[in-house]
Amino acid sequence: MAEEHLPFELTAEQRAELLRAAEQARENAYAPYSHYQVGAALLTASGRIYTGCNIENASYGATICAERVAAAKAVSAGDRDFIALAVIADSAQPGTPCGICRQFLAEFAPQLLLIMGNLQGQEEVGRLDQYLPSAFSQEYLK
Ligand code: THU
Protein backbone atom coordinates (compact mmCIF):
# COMPACT_ATOMS: atom_id res chain seq x y z
CA MET A 1 0.00 0.00 0.00
CA ALA A 2 1.24 3.49 -0.78
CA GLU A 3 2.49 5.52 2.14
CA GLU A 4 0.01 8.18 3.10
CA HIS A 5 0.64 11.81 3.77
CA LEU A 6 -1.65 12.65 6.69
CA PRO A 7 -3.06 14.83 7.95
CA PHE A 8 -3.17 16.46 4.56
CA GLU A 9 -5.26 19.46 3.74
CA LEU A 10 -5.47 21.58 0.62
CA THR A 11 -6.07 25.30 0.53
CA ALA A 12 -9.27 26.59 -1.03
CA GLU A 13 -7.20 27.65 -4.02
CA GLN A 14 -5.64 24.19 -4.42
CA ARG A 15 -9.07 22.58 -4.17
CA ALA A 16 -10.40 24.97 -6.80
CA GLU A 17 -7.48 24.12 -9.09
CA LEU A 18 -8.15 20.41 -8.74
CA LEU A 19 -11.86 20.93 -9.39
CA ARG A 20 -11.01 22.97 -12.49
CA ALA A 21 -8.85 20.10 -13.79
CA ALA A 22 -11.74 17.71 -13.14
CA GLU A 23 -14.17 20.02 -14.91
CA GLN A 24 -11.89 20.17 -17.94
CA ALA A 25 -11.56 16.38 -17.99
CA ARG A 26 -15.35 16.11 -17.84
CA GLU A 27 -15.45 17.65 -21.32
CA ASN A 28 -14.15 14.34 -22.64
CA ALA A 29 -16.76 12.21 -20.89
CA TYR A 30 -18.28 9.56 -23.12
CA ALA A 31 -21.76 9.17 -21.68
CA PRO A 32 -24.23 8.65 -24.55
CA TYR A 33 -26.44 6.39 -22.41
CA SER A 34 -26.81 8.16 -19.08
CA HIS A 35 -25.94 11.67 -20.34
CA TYR A 36 -24.35 12.12 -16.92
CA GLN A 37 -20.87 13.44 -17.56
CA VAL A 38 -18.31 13.18 -14.81
CA GLY A 39 -14.75 14.48 -14.49
CA ALA A 40 -12.10 13.60 -11.94
CA ALA A 41 -8.63 14.86 -11.06
CA LEU A 42 -6.26 13.01 -8.76
CA LEU A 43 -3.32 14.76 -7.10
CA THR A 44 -0.38 12.59 -6.08
CA ALA A 45 2.55 13.30 -3.75
CA SER A 46 4.74 13.90 -6.81
CA GLY A 47 2.60 16.97 -7.51
CA ARG A 48 1.21 15.48 -10.69
CA ILE A 49 -2.48 15.57 -11.50
CA TYR A 50 -4.09 12.64 -13.30
CA THR A 51 -7.46 13.29 -14.84
CA GLY A 52 -10.30 11.01 -15.87
CA CYS A 53 -13.81 11.03 -17.26
CA ASN A 54 -16.50 8.40 -17.32
CA ILE A 55 -16.46 6.10 -20.35
CA GLU A 56 -19.70 4.25 -21.00
CA ASN A 57 -20.32 1.21 -23.15
CA ALA A 58 -23.25 -0.29 -25.06
CA SER A 59 -22.75 -3.22 -22.69
CA TYR A 60 -23.63 -0.99 -19.75
CA GLY A 61 -21.71 -3.00 -17.16
CA ALA A 62 -18.47 -2.33 -19.03
CA THR A 63 -18.74 1.36 -18.13
CA ILE A 64 -15.92 2.83 -16.09
CA CYS A 65 -16.25 5.86 -13.81
CA ALA A 66 -14.14 9.01 -14.03
CA GLU A 67 -12.50 8.33 -10.65
CA ARG A 68 -11.20 4.89 -11.63
CA VAL A 69 -9.88 6.19 -14.94
CA ALA A 70 -7.86 8.85 -13.08
CA ALA A 71 -6.62 6.33 -10.49
CA ALA A 72 -5.66 3.78 -13.16
CA LYS A 73 -3.70 6.42 -15.04
CA ALA A 74 -1.76 7.31 -11.88
CA VAL A 75 -1.04 3.73 -10.87
CA SER A 76 -0.02 2.75 -14.38
CA ALA A 77 2.43 5.66 -14.37
CA GLY A 78 3.97 4.26 -11.17
CA ASP A 79 2.47 7.07 -9.10
CA ARG A 80 0.52 5.45 -6.25
CA ASP A 81 0.86 7.99 -3.49
CA PHE A 82 -2.59 9.57 -3.74
CA ILE A 83 -3.18 12.88 -1.94
CA ALA A 84 -6.56 14.17 -3.06
CA LEU A 85 -9.23 13.48 -5.63
CA ALA A 86 -11.66 15.98 -7.09
CA VAL A 87 -14.82 14.85 -8.83
CA ILE A 88 -17.37 17.01 -10.59
CA ALA A 89 -20.67 16.55 -12.41
CA ASP A 90 -23.71 18.56 -13.39
CA SER A 91 -25.67 17.37 -10.38
CA ALA A 92 -28.13 19.05 -8.02
CA GLN A 93 -25.64 18.52 -5.22
CA PRO A 94 -21.99 17.44 -5.29
CA GLY A 95 -21.86 13.74 -6.21
CA THR A 96 -19.91 11.23 -4.16
CA PRO A 97 -17.82 8.45 -5.76
CA CYS A 98 -19.74 5.21 -6.27
CA GLY A 99 -19.10 2.17 -4.11
CA ILE A 100 -16.81 0.45 -6.61
CA CYS A 101 -14.68 3.59 -6.90
CA ARG A 102 -14.51 3.98 -3.12
CA GLN A 103 -13.16 0.45 -2.81
CA PHE A 104 -10.77 0.94 -5.73
CA LEU A 105 -9.37 4.15 -4.22
CA ALA A 106 -9.18 2.71 -0.68
CA GLU A 107 -6.61 0.19 -1.93
CA PHE A 108 -4.11 3.02 -2.30
CA ALA A 109 -5.30 5.74 0.09
CA PRO A 110 -7.96 4.79 2.68
CA GLN A 111 -8.04 8.35 3.98
CA LEU A 112 -7.85 10.08 0.62
CA LEU A 113 -9.06 13.67 0.65
CA LEU A 114 -12.20 13.89 -1.48
CA ILE A 115 -13.32 17.13 -3.06
CA MET A 116 -16.74 16.83 -4.63
CA GLY A 117 -18.25 19.59 -6.68
CA ASN A 118 -20.95 20.46 -9.14
CA LEU A 119 -21.14 22.92 -12.00
CA GLN A 120 -23.04 25.39 -9.80
CA GLY A 121 -19.93 25.79 -7.68
CA GLN A 122 -21.07 23.81 -4.64
CA GLU A 123 -18.30 21.91 -2.88
CA GLU A 124 -18.21 19.10 -0.37
CA VAL A 125 -14.99 17.92 1.25
CA GLY A 126 -14.40 14.70 3.13
CA ARG A 127 -12.16 11.71 3.70
CA LEU A 128 -12.61 8.44 1.89
CA ASP A 129 -12.89 6.44 5.13
CA GLN A 130 -15.94 8.53 6.07
CA TYR A 131 -17.61 7.38 2.89
CA LEU A 132 -16.38 3.79 3.07
CA PRO A 133 -15.95 2.74 6.70
CA SER A 134 -14.47 -0.72 7.31
CA ALA A 135 -13.25 -1.03 3.73
CA PHE A 136 -12.12 -4.46 2.68
CA SER A 137 -8.33 -4.48 2.51
CA GLN A 138 -5.32 -6.69 2.13
CA GLU A 139 -5.28 -7.09 5.92
CA TYR A 140 -8.12 -9.58 5.62
CA LEU A 141 -6.20 -11.74 3.16
CA LYS A 142 -3.59 -12.77 5.74
N1 THU B 1 -20.16 7.87 -12.68
C1 THU B 1 -18.90 8.34 -12.51
O1 THU B 1 -18.11 8.43 -13.47
N2 THU B 1 -18.51 8.70 -11.27
C2 THU B 1 -19.35 8.80 -10.20
O2 THU B 1 -18.93 9.23 -9.15
C3 THU B 1 -20.75 8.39 -10.34
C4 THU B 1 -21.07 7.64 -11.58
C5 THU B 1 -20.61 7.59 -14.05
C6 THU B 1 -20.90 6.17 -14.39
C7 THU B 1 -21.90 6.33 -15.52
O3 THU B 1 -21.21 6.59 -16.73
C8 THU B 1 -22.67 7.60 -15.15
O4 THU B 1 -21.84 8.29 -14.24
C9 THU B 1 -24.03 7.35 -14.52
O5 THU B 1 -23.95 6.47 -13.48
Side-chain angles (χ1 to χ4, degrees):
M1 189 186 293
E3 192 187 315
E4 282 194 77
H5 291 245
L6 283 173
F8 200 95
E9 300 294 340
L10 294 184
T11 63
E13 198 178 321
Q14 289 171 315
R15 294 199 305 269
E17 188 198 342
L18 210 52
L19 276 169
R20 271 198 301 275
E23 192 174 343
Q24 205 172 335
R26 181 180 167 273
E27 297 290 314
N28 294 325
Y30 177 74
Y33 306 105
S34 74
H35 304 289
Y36 186 72
Q37 293 148 327
V38 186
L42 177 66
L43 173 69
T44 64
S46 68
R48 292 189 185 88
I49 292 174
Y50 298 86
T51 59
C53 60
N54 54 332
I55 306 171
E56 299 187 342
N57 194 277
S59 177
Y60 296 172
T63 291
I64 185 165
C65 295
E67 297 92 321
R68 272 176 290 146
V69 170
K73 282 166 73 175
V75 174
S76 62
D79 212 349
R80 296 195 296 231
D81 204 348
F82 298 177
I83 296 288
L85 175 102
V87 57
I88 196 163
D90 188 9
S91 48
Q93 54 193 30
T96 58
C98 82
I100 296 173
C101 288
R102 293 178 198 196
Q103 180 63 37
F104 194 88
L105 294 164
E107 178 74 17
F108 303 101
Q111 291 176 281
L112 182 67
L113 184 63
L114 295 177
I115 301 143
M116 296 146 286
N118 63 12
L119 296 189
Q120 295 141 61
Q122 289 179 307
E123 186 190 79
E124 181 181 322
V125 179
R127 294 271 174 197
L128 181 54
D129 60 355
Q130 298 172 310
Y131 292 84
L132 186 66
S134 308
F136 185 76
S137 74
Q138 56 185 333
E139 300 305 313
Y140 294 100
L141 299 174
K142 287 174 184 158

